[in-house]
Amino acid sequence: QVMLAESGGGSVQAGDSLRLSCTISERALMLYAAGWFRQAPGKEREFVATISGNAGNRYYADSMKGRCTISRDSAKNTVFLQVNSLNTGDTGVYYCALRRYYTESPDVTYDYWGQGTQVTVSS
């Protein structure tokens, strides 16, 4: 059974930073590309960032570039999302997802999804 467990969310103020974690139950899936998505209340889910299985490629949504870093630690079976300079528009549930091959297209199918972690940013 594949399980993705997100953590690190919380309530913060604008300008603060958060580091989200996604722990993957099976180490073999660390070969997969990983993506972070988010969904604000009343909004559709949107792409945030993605990283290839070997961490050689990274891609970010325009709104995240310059203040966001996606990374992974294969020894810990974990994918991270560091977000700085948070603003109220970053509020939402953040999801970790996996797919076999890396793509920079935000509108593709992912094979596995976590339950999400809530991020709330107040001004």
Side-chain angles (χ1 to χ4, degrees):
Q1 183 179 358
V2 176
M3 295 183 63
L4 281 62
E6 300 97 334
S7 62
S11 297
V12 299
Q13 292 186 319
D16 288 348
S17 299
L18 282 174
R19 190 185 193 190
L20 308 181
S21 298
C22 173
T23 301
I24 301 165
S25 63
E26 300 182 16
R27 63 181 180 180
L29 268 61
M30 289 300 291
L31 296 173
Y32 278 45
W36 284 95
F37 297 79
R38 68 187 183 189
Q39 187 167 21
K43 303 287 187 178
E44 294 184 348
R45 186 173 61 205
E46 65 175 339
F47 168 80
V48 175
T50 186
I51 185 171
S52 60
N54 64 4
N57 296 283
R58 305 175 188 181
Y59 181 73
Y60 304 93
D62 287 342
S63 63
M64 310 306 297
K65 292 177 180 177
R67 63 188 187 97
C68 179
T69 302
I70 186 171
S71 60
R72 64 196 308 160
D73 187 337
S74 60
K76 297 181 178 180
N77 282 19
T78 303
V79 179
F80 303 98
L81 182 73
Q82 174 76 33
V83 186
N84 303 319
S85 301
L86 286 159
N87 58 71
T88 56
D90 295 318
T91 293
V93 178
Y94 283 68
Y95 299 93
C96 177
L98 300 178
R99 71 191 315 274
R100 181 61 183 88
Y101 298 109
Y102 173 83
T103 178
E104 296 181 357
S105 174
D107 190 20
V108 295
T109 300
Y110 280 72
D111 300 310
Y112 306 105
W113 291 84
Q115 295 298 309
T117 184
Q118 176 72 45
V119 172
T120 303
V121 185
S122 300
S123 62

